[in-house]
Amino acid sequence: MEEVLKPDLCVIGAGSGGLSVAAAAAQFGVPVVLIEKGRMGGDRLNFGDVPSKALLAAGKRADAVRTASTFGIDVNEAQIDHRGVHDHVHGVIAAIAPNDSIERFTGLGVRVIQAKANFLDKNTVEAGRVLVHARRFVIATGSTPVIPSISGLDEVPYLTNETIFDVSERIQHLIVLGGGPFGLELGQAHSMLGSHVTIFDTEGFLPNEDPEATAVLLKRLEDTQIMLYPNTRVEKVERSMQGVAVHFHKDGETVIVKGTHLLVAAGRKPNVKSLSLERAGVTYTDEGIKVNEQLKTTNRRIYAIGDVIGGPQYSHLATYHAGIVVRNALFRLKPDVSAGTIPRVIYTAPELAQVGITEAEAHARYRRRRIRIYRWPYADIDRAQCERETEGFIKVITKRDGTILGCTIVGAQAGELLQLWVMAMAKDIKIGDLISLVLPYPTMSELSKRASYAYYQPNMTKGWMRSVIGLLRRLG
Ligand SMILES: Cc1cc2nc3c(=O)[nH]c(=O)nc-3n(C[C@H](O)[C@H](O)[C@H](O)COP(=O)(O)OP(=O)(O)OC[C@H]3O[C@@H](n4cnc5c(N)ncnc54)[C@H](O)[C@@H]3O)c2cc1C
């Protein structure tokens, strides 16, 4: 006998997007059903953001040991207990898991159903033995790894982001297919933990990021013996004595690289296929579910958010989508969906952080005389010298009147330093206004302030302005 539920809102998928919608709606007293087929917390908690950053944190500790002698501290070679690293990563997941748990959401008043959901018609979802007739639905089913069609790939064991965090032994040589943010982060984490790492990409690495910033990051990866093969198509994969052999062409010859483990990080595809969306009148393509500005699908009573709608894929974007849906579904507010101030960070060492448009995008969009580019190197920041983190720079792109169009930071703590620029852009604060901020000395955040000084440099011919800037610089 099937149970029939008639809530106001039914959310499918308990990842970053779905959990945020369900929690917010429940807190407004709305009856909500949340359906999850796998683990509560989705990719962010179980297979993505959290475990990858926890693994990188372990790698960075190992690296700190390796480079300690620069600070006059003599330590022996870092001894890595791979079972211990595995337990650290899963300990972090376990520490965060209660926030996303069935118990917590049930306590908030959400009815959680653990089953795979699919639509029966425009108003009904089936999940196990439960039928849900809701006034509105939110599809937040996320994405899964793309497995490229490479000869032999289906005959060798390979890892994805869904399995690599379960490995508890040393990976001797990790071959990564895909040099996007996740491939680079996971590749570098394993390299820092003592693996040989080779990364292939069919394109250049990080083609959408600022090339100067990318060059700083890639140089660090190469300096630490990570083998990078950009613009390289892997032709064939097969089993070898060590584990796996990857074949590709270079300068007209076939080259073979042998590794012990293979990680596929070659992009993500939206989870649309198993939902029977046709029955619900929801249009989708291989790129994701089609939505309008309010994130409504072609069935006006069904919203879709997060990775499943394609485009940029970040947890904070899925959460931002959730806010739009809650305001629209509950209060009929029509917020505009502006991706302009959605930041992104690659959490390698050094980090690469971006908000707004890059220099190349600015040149494509505006005439040269209408934009200004301001740069400042980490090497000129006293705190960066203390920490021996002098690689990298900030680059700020503005209109002539100082309106900030974008900011790129590559270097230590770039993701944290970006916050000031995200806020400045969101609140329409101009670059010149930042000069009056008093920031603590010595902090990395001086990098941002120095970039704002640069804004006044065209006026430096004026003697009085030169004196003011000189004074401000002396005052920090
Ligand atoms: C290795 C890696 C590292 C990442 N690092 C970062 C980072 O540092 N910062 C960042 O912002 N983003 C990061 N991301 C991206 C981020 O994880 C995603 O953008 C985010 O999780 C998307 O949230 P979502 O709610 O759309 O989907 P998900 O979190 O994927 O949640 C979707 C949920 O829906 C469930 N589901 C699917 N189909 C059904 C169904 N039919 N019925 C019921 N349930 C279903 C799934 O089981 C899943 O739990 C990373 C991703 C990866 C892979």
Side-chain angles (χ1 to χ4, degrees):
M1 176 69 181
E2 283 175 330
E3 186 183 0
V4 179
L5 300 173
K6 296 187 174 175
D8 280 0
L9 195 63
C10 173
V11 181
I12 307 172
S16 305
L19 288 174
S20 305
V21 173
Q27 275 159 0
F28 284 114
V30 175
V32 188
V33 166
L34 174 63
I35 308 173
E36 170 56 55
K37 75 175 165 80
R39 296 191 203 165
M40 296 288 284
D43 272 359
R44 174 186 54 81
L45 178 61
N46 303 293
F47 314 114
D49 326 19
V50 169
S52 60
K53 269 77 247 178
L55 194 70
L56 271 165
K60 286 174 186 174
R61 290 297 183 287
D63 213 40
V65 172
R66 256 174 236 126
T67 52
S69 61
T70 318
F71 295 83
I73 298 166
D74 218 355
V75 278
N76 292 327
E77 180 66 12
Q79 297 294 323
I80 295 162
D81 163 13
H82 292 274
R83 163 58 65 180
V85 172
H86 166 276
D87 293 351
H88 148 70
V89 170
H90 287 273
V92 172
I93 294 174
I96 299 172
N99 296 336
D100 295 354
S101 64
I102 295 179
E103 293 72 25
R104 171 162 178 252
F105 277 77
T106 306
L108 290 173
V110 176
R111 168 74 191 271
V112 182
I113 299 172
Q114 287 210 283
K116 187 166 144 314
N118 68 293
F119 283 90
L120 294 184
D121 58 41
K122 290 190 172 188
N123 314 307
T124 316
V125 155
E126 179 186 49
R129 296 186 57 75
V130 182
L131 289 185
V132 186
H133 298 289
R135 284 184 56 220
R136 292 197 172 77
F137 292 89
V138 180
I139 303 171
T141 49
S143 60
T144 37
V146 168
I147 307 303
S149 64
I150 296 173
S151 166
L153 188 55
D154 49 356
E155 285 154 35
V156 299
Y158 59 80
L159 300 161
T160 67
N161 67 296
E162 290 171 9
T163 50
I164 192 162
F165 302 111
D166 292 333
V167 177
S168 59
E169 76 271 1
R170 174 165 183 252
I171 293 183
Q172 258 188 336
H173 185 169
L174 180 68
I175 298 180
V176 185
L177 301 184
F182 315 144
L184 296 184
E185 287 180 6
L186 293 175
Q188 190 183 39
H190 281 278
S191 164
M192 287 168 160
L193 292 168
S195 306
H196 292 291
V197 174
T198 305
I199 309 179
F200 291 92
D201 202 298
T202 49
E203 296 180 12
F205 291 107
L206 307 174
N208 298 326
E209 304 298 345
D210 179 285
E212 284 181 70
T214 305
V216 172
L217 165 53
L218 296 183
K219 180 173 181 306
R220 173 81 73 91
L221 298 182
E222 284 179 328
D223 286 351
T224 52
Q225 311 308 320
I226 296 178
M227 294 297 297
L228 299 178
Y229 287 98
N231 303 307
T232 305
R233 183 166 296 282
V234 169
E235 308 285 341
K236 189 169 98 175
V237 176
E238 63 186 5
R239 277 181 194 270
S240 72
M241 288 278 283
Q242 293 97 323
V244 64
V246 163
H247 298 234
F248 59 98
H249 288 303
K250 191 165 182 259
D251 303 328
E253 301 203 349
T254 298
V255 182
I256 303 174
V257 171
K258 292 179 181 171
T260 52
H261 294 71
L262 182 66
L263 169 66
V264 177
R268 318 267 315 159
K269 61 177 183 213
N271 290 331
V272 286
K273 288 279 157 61
S274 63
L275 288 161
S276 307
L277 292 172
E278 298 77 6
R279 293 187 201 151
V282 172
T283 304
Y284 66 94
T285 65
D286 287 346
E287 310 298 313
I289 295 179
K290 204 176 143 205
V291 290
N292 69 11
E293 286 218 315
Q294 292 140 44
L295 304 174
K296 284 181 180 171
T297 66
T298 43
N299 176 338
R300 294 297 153 129
R301 294 172 55 202
I302 303 180
Y303 295 84
I305 63 172
D307 284 10
V308 78
I309 64 171
Q313 296 181 332
Y314 312 113
S315 282
H316 49 278
L317 184 58
T319 308
Y320 172 69
H321 287 166
I324 291 172
V325 166
V326 169
R327 284 193 291 274
N328 191 260
L330 305 189
F331 306 111
R332 297 187 186 281
L333 295 173
K334 291 193 176 178
D336 68 323
V337 185
S338 156
T341 53
I342 302 294
R344 58 180 186 266
V345 180
I346 302 169
Y347 295 89
T348 41
E351 293 184 352
L352 199 168
Q354 176 72 43
V355 63
I357 57 176
T358 60
E359 180 180 1
E361 286 164 333
H363 286 311
R365 218 176 279 182
Y366 297 92
R367 270 186 285 158
R368 188 166 285 274
R369 278 187 302 130
R370 303 196 59 179
I371 55 169
R372 298 271 186 271
I373 312 289
Y374 305 103
R375 294 182 172 78
W376 208 274
Y378 272 68
D380 272 6
I381 302 303
D382 295 357
R383 182 61 183 273
Q385 290 289 353
C386 299
E387 303 288 338
R388 297 211 175 244
E389 290 284 7
T390 51
E391 263 175 83
F393 60 85
I394 184 172
K395 183 190 283 190
V396 185
I397 302 107
T398 73
K399 288 189 187 170
R400 273 172 60 175
D401 68 357
T403 303
I404 301 160
L405 296 171
C407 174
T408 306
I409 308 178
V410 61
Q413 299 171 32
E416 306 296 332
L417 297 177
L418 193 73
Q419 316 301 335
L420 179 72
W421 299 94
V422 176
M423 191 178 80
M425 286 186 71
K427 299 292 168 200
D428 286 330
I429 297 169
K430 293 190 174 172
I431 187 170
D433 297 329
L434 298 178
I435 203 167
S436 60
L437 286 181
V438 180
L439 298 178
Y441 173 88
T443 55
M444 292 290 204
S445 55
E446 275 189 283
L447 188 72
S448 295
K449 195 155 172 191
R450 298 290 174 181
S452 71
Y453 288 154
Y455 172 70
Y456 285 102
Q457 270 173 350
N459 297 323
M460 289 285 279
T461 43
K462 292 182 185 154
W464 65 269
M465 181 61 85
R466 248 195 334 263
S467 323
V468 172
I469 298 282
L471 181 64
L472 285 170
R473 278 202 180 142
R474 277 199 299 283
L475 295 175

